[in-house]
Amino acid sequence: MSMTAFLGRRLLQLVPTLIFILIVVFVLVRLLPGDPASAVLGDRALDADVERINRELGLDRSLPVQFVAFAKQVFTGNLGNSIAMKIPVTQLIRDRLPITMLLTFMAAVIAIVFAVPLAFVAALKRDRLPDSAIRGAFQVGLSMPVFYVGLILLTVFGAKLRWFPVGGYGDGFLDHIYHLFLPAVTLALSLSAILMRNLRSAIIGVVDAEYVTFARAKGLRSNLILFRHILRNALISTLALFGLSIGTLLGGAVITETVFAVPGAGRLMVDSIYGRDYPVVQGLTIALAVLVSVTFLLTDILQAWLDPRVTK
């Protein structure tokens, strides 16, 4: 199968996936305890006011009718207005989602920078002291909850040493990077441990393969063997794992943004769930699901480029 046909097939597969996501998001939001009108008006709200808000939101209609109206809104790019903030959900997503995307991108880069060289050292020094030390350190990082790691970094490097801000997003791109560094390291720690373990195993499986031995016998330079034969083949399985981990990173961003008071989509999601702000919860969930689906697609394309057998 050509790369074009492979890409077309993957794009078509996105359609049922997105429809399924719409159904799941609609059902899960309706299963949340409480109702938006009571959350906005408080416990002393009059029944007439509650009924008025439910009517304005269309919540007085049957669930199938509500779903059809919801699907029409999504496919026309209109996600409604926030109940609490009275502004379009698309505007909120446009303001908050880039912050979460930058945080996730920084975490992914930091995880790769840590994982790849350490995986090589661990694989090439297999069952020796460097290998045991690296695997032990990453095992500790992997076993610690994200929020606990965040609190430790916040206390040590933010409050005690004052090397980094303890919260916020800053002004300007470089200031954004500065403010997001500790949250990104918090997110990256567990991902780098997962990538390092997988890549180490993949390198060990490749380094003794016949084609690597043949390349050495031909007298190819070590660097060429390392990058062309070992790294390229070892990255194939790790790349798939990396793509699957993006969803986990976005989920971790919800906790990390709350700990570091970062005004991203994750924190907005938490506030909206507590406030029963249905349109924001639905819109954000769909936006994040689309983002993860696109990431999977890009990962598949990159994997097919590294290994053309994937397209067959």
Side-chain angles (χ1 to χ4, degrees):
M1 183 185 296
S2 67
M3 180 60 84
T4 305
F6 172 74
L7 183 58
R9 190 183 67 180
R10 287 291 290 110
L11 287 172
L12 284 176
Q13 288 174 347
L14 281 180
V15 177
T17 302
L18 293 177
I19 293 174
F20 179 73
I21 288 170
L22 283 186
I23 296 172
V24 171
V25 168
F26 177 82
V27 172
L28 289 181
V29 169
R30 264 63 186 178
L31 289 177
L32 286 174
D35 66 89
S38 299
V40 172
L41 299 175
D43 297 334
R44 297 183 179 179
L46 299 174
D47 291 342
D49 292 331
V50 173
E51 290 177 5
R52 176 178 55 80
I53 289 184
N54 283 335
R55 190 167 52 251
E56 289 174 359
L57 296 172
L59 298 176
D60 59 333
R61 292 178 285 181
S62 65
L63 285 179
V65 175
Q66 287 184 44
F67 178 74
V68 171
F70 167 63
K72 283 182 180 176
Q73 280 187 325
V74 172
F75 285 113
T76 56
N78 174 19
L79 297 175
N81 293 333
S82 163
I83 299 171
M85 290 173 272
K86 311 295 183 188
I87 56 179
V89 174
T90 49
Q91 181 181 332
L92 282 171
I93 293 174
R94 193 168 55 243
D95 293 340
R96 302 293 191 93
L97 192 58
I99 300 173
T100 301
M101 290 175 65
L102 178 60
L103 173 61
T104 306
F105 176 76
M106 287 177 61
V109 171
I110 292 171
I112 292 171
V113 167
F114 274 106
V116 173
L118 291 177
F120 265 102
V121 173
L124 299 178
K125 303 290 183 184
R126 184 178 13 171
D127 298 329
R128 292 157 66 180
L129 181 60
D131 180 30
S132 301
I134 291 170
R135 285 196 293 161
F138 275 102
Q139 186 64 39
V140 171
L142 189 60
S143 60
M144 295 173 70
V146 172
F147 75 91
Y148 190 65
V149 174
L151 289 175
I152 291 174
L153 294 179
L154 189 67
T155 303
V156 175
F157 296 102
K160 297 290 184 184
L161 299 176
R162 299 181 184 277
W163 289 356
F164 295 96
V166 295
Y169 186 51
D171 297 317
F173 182 71
L174 292 179
D175 206 25
H176 295 333
I177 300 291
Y178 180 50
H179 277 74
L180 291 180
F181 185 76
L182 284 185
V185 171
T186 303
L187 270 181
L189 191 59
S190 59
L191 177 60
S192 61
I194 295 170
L195 294 179
M196 193 283 296
R197 288 168 61 93
N198 186 272
L199 188 57
R200 173 188 174 275
S201 300
I203 292 171
I204 290 174
V206 169
V207 75
D208 295 326
E210 290 183 0
Y211 56 85
V212 174
T213 305
F214 182 67
R216 289 197 186 101
K218 286 198 305 182
L220 291 181
R221 287 176 298 164
S222 298
N223 289 341
L224 198 60
I225 296 173
L226 184 66
F227 288 102
R228 178 181 293 180
H229 296 287
I230 297 178
L231 183 59
R232 179 168 181 160
N233 288 286
L235 277 178
I236 293 172
S237 62
T238 306
L239 188 62
L241 180 65
F242 177 74
L244 293 173
S245 301
I246 295 300
T248 306
L249 272 186
L250 287 171
V254 173
I255 301 171
T256 309
E257 288 178 3
T258 304
V259 172
F260 287 91
V262 176
R267 192 177 173 197
L268 177 63
M269 176 71 88
V270 173
D271 293 341
S272 301
I273 291 173
Y274 278 119
R276 306 293 184 272
D277 202 336
Y278 282 4
V280 178
V281 176
Q282 290 176 163
L284 270 179
T285 307
I286 292 169
L288 293 173
V290 170
L291 185 62
V292 172
S293 298
V294 171
T295 304
F296 287 170
L297 176 64
L298 294 176
T299 304
D300 285 349
I301 294 172
L302 189 54
Q303 199 173 8
W305 175 72
L306 286 171
D307 184 6
R309 292 174 299 176
V310 173
T311 62
K312 294 180 180 177

